[in-house]
Amino acid sequence: GENVEQHPSTLSVQEGDSAVIKCTYSDSASNYFPWYKQELGKGPQLIIDIRSNVGEKKDQRIAVTLNKTAKHFSLHITETQPEDSAVYFCAASFPSGGSYIPTFGRGTSLIVHP
Amino acid sequence: ETGVTQSPTHLIKTRGQQVTLRCSSQSGHNTVSWYQQALGQGPQFIFQYYREEENGRGNFPPRFSGLQFPNYSSELNVNALELDDSALYLCASSLWQGAEKLFFGSGTQLSVL
């Protein structure tokens, strides 16, 4: 089955700095790569996603890059703010029986210091 | 538009008991998935329901079972609870077309003593 590795497990930055979280996946059948933000006491919230036919996608301060050959993808957050502090999860999804089955990474706890 | 709601928010059970968790999907969504999130881990896929039938299952034993109702709400049932079942159980709803985009509820925190 799919295996997703996520690094680092903890990331501490100063407000205004950039943050980068990296993930690798093992199954070349995976073709959809979402990123989720989970705040304390809440469920994960989709913040950005990318499909395997695209190399990069940007949404304001957040961007995701995908290297299909190397099977890795990354989340980039620029101009970090204290409200960006949360746990971030990457996932790799492959189509199965008409639906998609995601495998999540173990998460990165991002701490943004004011 | 109403979001995904789960009940109860917290639950304490003892080993060997049975538990039922409930989920109401987001308005307009017809597909429901359940996930187990252990402390410090990412969510793990349990199973997905579409048209009241199970469609896809992760690496969980048969004592984990589910239902989906005609209004697309869903239940997760766990029999013969074990200590390792202690976790946050998340429900996510989506559209079948576009099922990769998941909308999560806040979860049910289950503690098994």
Side-chain angles (χ1 to χ4, degrees):
Chain A
E2 176 65 277
N3 182 49
V4 176
E5 299 284 342
Q6 182 173 346
H7 299 281
S9 56
T10 305
L11 181 57
S12 183
V13 300
Q14 289 295 128
E15 182 177 0
D17 287 350
S18 295
V20 180
I21 303 171
K22 298 182 179 182
C23 289
T24 60
Y25 63 99
S26 61
D27 192 337
S28 56
S30 291
N31 60 5
Y32 174 70
F33 305 91
W35 286 87
Y36 291 86
K37 175 183 181 182
Q38 187 172 26
E39 297 175 319
L40 200 60
K42 297 184 179 180
Q45 179 185 13
L46 178 68
I47 55 172
I48 196 168
D49 55 9
I50 192 168
R51 297 186 185 277
S52 58
N53 59 349
V54 175
E56 185 173 357
K57 183 176 179 181
K58 191 174 181 180
D59 182 4
Q60 299 183 350
R61 297 186 296 108
I62 295 173
V64 58
T65 58
L66 171 65
N67 183 325
K68 277 174 46 181
T69 304
K71 295 197 185 80
H72 65 71
F73 56 114
S74 301
L75 177 71
H76 304 253
I77 306 175
T78 58
E79 300 172 25
T80 53
Q81 301 167 2
E83 51 265 38
D84 294 330
S85 297
V87 179
Y88 292 80
F89 293 98
C90 63
S93 296
F94 59 91
S96 174
S99 186
Y100 281 79
I101 307 298
T103 300
F104 286 82
R106 294 181 64 161
T108 296
S109 177
L110 174 64
I111 303 165
V112 181
H113 299 280
Chain B
E1 181 179 274
T2 57
V4 178
T5 58
Q6 292 187 241
S7 63
T9 55
H10 295 84
L11 202 52
I12 299 174
K13 291 285 188 179
T14 56
R15 195 169 44 183
Q17 285 188 311
Q18 177 266 343
V19 68
T20 297
L21 310 182
R22 294 178 174 84
C23 172
S24 293
S25 59
Q26 181 166 313
S27 177
H29 284 181
N30 55 13
T31 304
V32 175
S33 304
W34 286 92
Y35 294 80
Q36 181 193 66
Q37 186 177 21
L39 192 63
Q41 306 288 322
Q44 272 198 294
F45 175 73
I46 302 175
F47 42 54
Q48 181 185 80
Y49 277 83
Y50 172 63
R51 289 184 174 176
E52 302 175 47
E53 291 190 358
E54 185 179 292
N55 177 75
R57 186 180 185 94
N59 189 25
F60 282 83
R63 57 189 186 85
F64 285 78
S65 63
L67 285 172
Q68 185 182 32
F69 301 99
N71 66 354
Y72 307 128
S73 66
S74 178
E75 286 182 356
L76 165 65
N77 298 288
V78 186
N79 294 322
L81 284 167
E82 301 177 359
L83 297 179
D84 285 349
D85 295 334
S86 295
L88 180 68
Y89 288 85
L90 295 163
C91 169
S93 74
S94 57
L95 289 169
W96 180 251
Q97 292 79 20
E100 67 274 20
K101 290 188 183 290
L102 302 173
F103 295 82
F104 284 90
S106 294
T108 294
Q109 185 65 54
L110 173 64
S111 298
V112 182
L113 306 178

